[in-house]
Amino acid sequence: MMPTISFTILGCGSSGGVPRLGGNWGDCDPSNIKNQRSRCSLLVELAGDEGITRVLIDTSPDMRNQLLAANIGNLDGVVYTHEHADHWLELPVVYNAIRHYILCGPIPVYGTKGPLKLANDMCESIEESFLCEIIEDGDSRFIGDQCWHWSRTQHYVETLACRVDVEDSSFVFTADTGPEWDAKSLGDRVDLMIAESTFLSERENEEILHLSARQAGLLASNARAEKLVLSHLAPGESESAHLEEAQSVFSGPISLASVGKHYEV
């Protein structure tokens, strides 16, 4: 059986999600279920002769409902990109679930120093649930048959983008980053890139350490990505405007992440 690597978007919103508190949808159409954007988490699965290896990227504040919706009851590893709350806050919930309910052995957890220090502060006897390992810029690890590589991005705290390779298939998740990060630090050419696309180019002069849709398209083009998925849209952002802007600089297929969307590489 040829190994098949796939990705499921569990959440694709930025820190506020959509709708915002108070029911503010901004430019999003509330009748379109794809505009209900929970915070970012991503499930990576590799199906092979020995079963399925599942790795979760980040545990957003919406994680429990995300895993229930995806019918996921076990994980083989967790990878944290950085310590901002919308990316790691449910780590103690995973800890409690493993320790008190799932009752499996500890699972590998990889992350920057920030979230793992916070986890140690909040979770007593963390070793009962997690085998924690700090990762840094340039590191590589195998999680099952998945070969993971990390590169530090341009963000307010230490943040690591990741690349996953399985035989001839590859994908990159940019995590949170500003435009000065070079995706080619993770290798030249990639089958699929999931890139943050927080705002539109009209705000680039504010020098926010996130990407516009145009910058996401340029990042994917420079890395010779075959396909691009836009994620992490700020609350109220128009999906059609993001697609149009990215398409102006990236010639490959582009889609917009939505909760539950599934990709194979």
Side-chain angles (χ1 to χ4, degrees):
M1 177 181 177
M2 289 290 293
T4 301
I5 191 165
S6 62
F7 316 92
T8 302
I9 305 293
L10 301 180
C12 56
S14 57
S15 59
V18 176
R20 305 180 203 180
L21 291 176
N24 187 343
W25 290 84
D27 291 333
C28 297
D29 178 3
S31 67
N32 184 349
I33 194 170
K34 292 182 179 180
N35 284 327
Q36 296 181 12
R37 303 174 192 152
S38 58
R39 274 69 65 89
C40 277
S41 291
L42 175 67
L43 183 70
V44 183
E45 296 181 289
L46 176 65
D49 292 332
E50 298 183 4
I52 299 176
T53 302
R54 294 186 176 94
V55 180
L56 183 64
I57 300 179
D58 289 339
T59 54
S60 83
D62 305 304
M63 185 210 63
R64 181 179 181 277
N65 286 338
Q66 292 170 348
L67 293 180
L68 285 171
N71 195 29
I72 301 301
N74 66 285
L75 296 168
D76 298 289
V78 181
V79 170
Y80 286 100
T81 60
H82 64 298
E83 65 200 76
H84 284 163
D86 55 317
H87 290 264
W88 84 275
L89 197 58
E90 289 293 273
L91 185 153
V93 175
V94 180
Y95 160 79
N96 281 332
I98 292 173
R99 188 180 186 203
H100 299 298
Y101 302 107
I102 300 175
L103 303 178
C104 65
I107 64 172
V109 173
Y110 304 89
T112 58
K113 294 176 183 177
L116 296 187
K117 180 184 183 302
L118 290 166
N120 273 287
D121 291 343
M122 296 180 68
C123 304
E124 62 178 359
S125 305
I126 194 171
E127 68 280 355
E128 293 184 10
S129 295
F130 299 141
L131 300 173
C132 295
E133 183 175 352
I134 293 173
I135 50 172
E136 298 178 334
D137 182 35
D139 281 349
S140 297
R141 298 287 188 278
F142 273 93
I143 307 177
D145 290 332
Q146 304 173 17
C147 185
W148 287 69
H149 314 272
W150 288 276
S151 170
R152 183 165 183 171
T153 71
Q154 181 196 20
H155 199 43
Y156 301 100
V157 297
E158 183 184 14
T159 303
L160 295 178
C162 55
R163 176 183 176 122
V164 181
D165 289 289
V166 177
E167 295 190 353
D168 294 329
S169 300
S170 58
F171 105 101
V172 165
F173 177 59
T174 69
D176 289 5
T177 185
E180 296 302 316
W181 176 64
D182 184 2
K184 288 189 290 186
S185 61
L186 287 170
D188 189 24
R189 202 202 70 77
V190 62
D191 292 312
L192 175 69
M193 177 178 286
I194 301 176
E196 73 135 286
S197 178
T198 302
F199 48 81
L200 295 171
S201 58
E202 62 192 19
R203 298 190 62 190
E204 289 178 3
N205 62 354
E206 298 178 35
E207 298 184 352
I208 303 169
L209 296 186
H210 285 285
L211 297 179
S212 70
R214 186 189 74 86
Q215 290 167 336
L218 287 173
L219 191 76
S221 181
N222 291 338
R224 296 202 298 160
E226 294 290 329
K227 299 176 182 178
L228 173 62
V229 179
L230 303 178
S231 187
H232 200 268
L233 275 67
E237 290 286 315
S238 164
E239 61 176 35
S240 60
H242 276 252
L243 286 170
E244 181 178 346
E245 194 167 280
Q247 286 166 347
S248 70
V249 292
F250 180 74
S251 59
I254 304 177
S255 62
L256 195 77
S258 60
V259 175
K261 198 162 186 178
H262 189 74
Y263 299 88
E264 288 191 0
V265 178

